[in-house]
Amino acid sequence: MSKRYVSLWFRHLVADWQLIRRPELAGVPYVFVVPDHGRKLITAISPMAEAAGIHAGMRAADAKAICHGLEIFDEKPGKAEKLLLGIGEWCIRFTPIVAVDPPDGLILEISGCTHLWGGERPYLKDILTKLKDKGYTVRGAMADTIGAAWGIARFGQITPIIPAGEHIRALLPLPPAALRLDELTQQKMRKLGFRTVNSFVKMKRSVLRRHINDHLLLRIDQATGQEKEFIIPLQVPPEYEERLPCLEPVITAEAIKIAIEKLLEALCKTLQKDGKGLRSATLKGYRIDGHIEEQKIGTNRPSHSVSHLFKLLEMKVPFITPALGIEVFTLAATSVEDIFTRQDVLWAAKPGLDDLEVAELLDRLAGKVGAHTIRRYLPDAHYWPERSLKPARSIQEKPAMDWNTDQPRPTRLLPEPEKIEVMAPVPDLPPKMFVYAGQRHEITKADGPERIEREWWMDEGEHRDYYCIEDKQGRRYWVFRSGHYDSESPLWYLHGFFA
């Protein structure tokens, strides 16, 4: 697929921003200035000030002399860059690849996007109309190369959409400045009498290099497509992403669900084709007021099942606030893994975590109660109870060793042992009573001790003597004494609960 680009030019970027903030300036000429060696130089002008003959680089005092009622504002450093960055992020709703083109433009790579808007003309019209509605003076052009789109946007006089393959012909009547030349190069060309691109583009390259410079040759090659040009997008687009522009702003939950289903059908089709499954995804809804609604989902196993993923996203719909309406939806698979074609006969014989339906059930539960509330642990190579298990990174992760089943372990292990008061009159025997959380527990049954030595290569301290005990109410606990029973006040701790 050949590349297509859109160049946007904001001729009065900072001035438009000022007018949006202060509508009372409508009908008033104004400029922005910066101090320069005791004087003030104009850096940005409003359309009315421009019509009065004021231009960037002029001294503010001279401008006041020729324009009555001129308002002067101090320029805020970096304001133009911030505005371009904000507008560029807003434009991501039209294409995932948007780059800032300082000092007053944006570049959009739109390959494969325009058909979602019904073609290139309604696509460009939609962008320009929305930006103008926001209050910006903007021109845009579409072409096969960045250089051609840039030149047409600023110097084109006929049509802003150059058909594929016709960008070179569209550049010929434009002035040399349309090739993004620096001021020194433009001065040389004016001295040599070059008024249009057509007047020099067919000359020998050696002649142009000798009389002008290599910069001109580079710009010619970039504009004509002989030299590849790359842009740095504001956000790295995900490999798997689907977009859905809406004919009318969406405000109902039912319409949002329809949009999600359409996005999933397209996304899962691509994933199935590539043998991939989704592990995490982000749904974004671009509202007409500029706000972006964002919801995320995750799965325990890679999945490209539309029905399963729809159930996960459906639970997020109540958390989406469409306000005045969502005009564009995007669904990106932010993490994918290889997935193999399901073999029903084989899967049917595998219970437990290898069962696809179990994994999908866990995904739905995680969507309701939160993924952080569902945990899975694997055995770890340690004696010390707190270190003898570790959280599993995924549902497919296999244990590197077997669980230690020689001694009983509680079903719930406290992350940190909690100190208890114990009465144990005879050394090396289990306690007869203990107090935990203000409640007294009389011990009726006990087993132990099990001595667990401290892992001396990791830290220092006393060993532990663990007892399994049961109180009068039938509740069972895992307690231990720290160190030997030779001290006056031995320390006892509660470390777990049995089922």
Side-chain angles (χ1 to χ4, degrees):
M1 180 189 298
S2 59
K3 300 284 187 182
R4 296 286 281 171
Y5 298 91
V6 164
S7 174
L8 299 176
W9 179 37
F10 300 89
R11 187 172 184 177
H12 303 288
L13 179 63
V14 179
D16 290 341
W17 165 77
Q18 183 77 337
L19 185 59
I20 294 171
R21 292 176 61 248
R22 298 180 56 183
E24 67 273 15
L25 288 175
V28 177
Y30 56 93
V31 297
F32 288 85
V33 298
V34 294
D36 180 67
H37 298 89
R39 56 183 183 173
K40 291 186 176 180
L41 293 182
I42 295 175
T43 58
I45 55 178
S46 69
M48 286 194 66
E50 185 182 45
I54 300 172
H55 57 82
M58 179 184 287
R59 292 189 303 177
D62 296 338
K64 290 280 287 186
I66 64 174
C67 182
H68 177 70
L70 181 69
E71 292 280 349
I72 298 176
F73 302 101
D74 291 332
E75 182 185 281
K76 295 184 177 180
K79 189 62 191 178
E81 290 78 6
K82 290 182 180 178
L83 288 172
L84 286 176
L85 182 61
I87 298 173
E89 291 176 345
W90 178 86
C91 285
I92 290 178
R93 68 189 61 202
F94 294 99
T95 172
I97 305 177
V98 179
V100 172
D101 182 25
D104 52 12
L106 294 173
I107 297 294
L108 284 62
E109 189 194 323
I110 60 167
S111 310
C113 295
T114 56
H115 70 283
L116 298 173
W117 274 260
E120 294 184 341
R121 188 166 297 280
Y123 179 83
L124 183 60
K125 181 181 178 182
D126 195 22
I127 297 175
L128 298 180
T129 300
K130 285 185 167 61
L131 287 172
K132 289 176 181 176
D133 289 345
K134 290 179 178 294
Y136 288 103
T137 305
V138 57
R139 291 189 57 174
M142 186 182 299
D144 286 353
T145 65
I146 296 173
W150 191 95
I152 300 297
R154 288 156 177 79
F155 299 93
Q157 299 294 329
I158 302 176
T159 174
I161 300 178
I162 308 303
E166 297 186 15
H167 56 287
I168 298 177
R169 189 168 62 180
L171 285 169
L172 295 180
L174 302 184
L179 295 179
R180 295 178 290 172
L181 303 177
D182 55 57
E183 183 57 32
L184 179 60
T185 303
Q186 292 184 50
Q187 289 177 7
K188 289 182 179 178
M189 302 196 75
R190 283 194 290 269
K191 289 180 180 177
L192 293 173
F194 296 136
R195 303 302 177 195
T196 64
V197 175
N198 187 42
S199 62
F200 61 85
V201 73
K202 295 180 182 178
M203 294 178 67
K204 291 184 177 179
R205 297 175 66 87
S206 59
V207 174
L208 293 175
R209 181 181 292 109
R210 182 169 62 252
H211 291 283
I212 310 296
N213 53 37
D214 289 334
H215 180 65
L216 173 62
L217 299 179
L218 174 64
R219 287 308 196 190
I220 291 175
D221 291 343
Q222 289 176 338
T224 57
Q226 298 179 55
E227 178 76 23
K228 289 186 177 180
E229 190 172 4
F230 302 96
I231 59 177
I232 301 176
L234 295 176
Q235 298 179 10
V236 178
E239 185 176 0
Y240 296 98
E241 184 183 66
E242 294 295 333
R243 294 174 167 267
L244 181 67
C246 305
L247 295 177
E248 297 290 339
V250 167
I251 58 175
T252 65
E254 194 61 32
I256 294 174
K257 292 178 183 178
I258 293 173
I260 291 173
E261 193 167 17
K262 287 185 177 181
L263 288 168
L264 277 174
E265 289 174 353
L267 182 65
C268 290
K269 185 178 180 180
T270 304
L271 291 173
Q272 290 173 12
K273 181 181 176 182
D274 294 349
K276 300 290 184 181
L278 182 150
R279 287 298 310 276
S280 63
T282 300
L283 172 71
K284 292 183 178 179
Y286 292 85
R287 295 186 346 197
I288 59 176
D289 60 1
H291 180 76
I292 301 175
E293 289 288 318
E294 182 175 311
Q295 294 294 330
K296 298 181 179 180
I297 61 168
T299 63
N300 283 300
R301 296 172 58 88
S303 172
H304 50 220
S305 168
V306 174
S307 60
H308 173 55
L309 297 175
F310 178 77
K311 290 177 182 176
L312 301 182
L313 285 168
E314 187 181 27
M315 291 187 285
K316 304 293 184 182
V317 172
F319 303 101
I320 298 175
T321 305
L324 298 177
I326 296 174
E327 55 184 356
V328 178
F329 286 95
T330 64
L331 179 61
T334 52
S335 176
V336 299
E337 292 181 1
D338 292 336
I339 189 171
F340 300 98
T341 304
R342 180 181 177 183
Q343 299 291 330
D344 288 338
V345 175
L346 297 177
W347 281 97
K350 291 186 176 180
L353 295 177
D354 289 333
D355 193 317
L356 183 60
E357 293 183 353
V358 173
E360 292 181 350
L361 174 62
L362 290 174
D363 291 339
R364 292 195 294 274
L365 291 174
K368 289 184 177 180
V369 301
H372 62 282
T373 59
I374 300 176
R375 298 183 180 89
R376 177 174 175 248
Y377 294 95
L378 297 176
D380 205 359
H382 289 282
Y383 298 110
W384 213 239
E386 299 95 309
R387 304 176 187 136
S388 63
L389 49 86
K390 62 181 179 180
R393 288 169 294 187
S394 69
I395 197 170
Q396 294 98 351
E397 184 177 1
K398 303 296 182 185
M401 55 180 294
D402 294 332
W403 286 100
N404 184 3
T405 57
D406 295 341
Q407 298 290 340
R409 288 292 181 267
T411 52
R412 181 191 170 197
L413 184 70
L414 295 175
E416 292 289 339
E418 296 186 15
K419 195 172 182 181
I420 57 176
E421 297 178 12
V422 170
M423 183 182 74
V426 181
D428 292 335
L429 285 183
K432 299 295 290 182
M433 179 275 296
F434 74 95
V435 178
Y436 172 65
Q439 187 174 358
R440 180 187 177 99
H441 299 267
E442 301 290 341
I443 309 301
T444 58
K445 299 178 182 177
D447 188 19
E450 175 195 357
R451 175 160 298 182
I452 300 179
E453 296 288 350
R454 187 171 289 274
E455 295 171 325
W456 53 267
W457 58 94
M458 300 184 67
D459 55 13
E460 297 180 350
E462 300 286 350
H463 65 266
R464 294 173 178 175
D465 286 335
Y466 278 90
Y467 294 89
C468 302
I469 58 177
E470 181 177 319
D471 63 9
K472 286 184 177 180
Q473 288 72 34
R475 292 170 296 197
R476 297 188 296 162
Y477 307 88
W478 204 39
V479 301
F480 70 85
R481 186 188 63 239
S482 180
H484 294 287
Y485 195 84
D486 53 1
S487 63
E488 296 181 355
S489 300
L491 298 178
W492 287 81
Y493 296 87
L494 175 68
H495 203 177
F497 303 88
F498 291 94

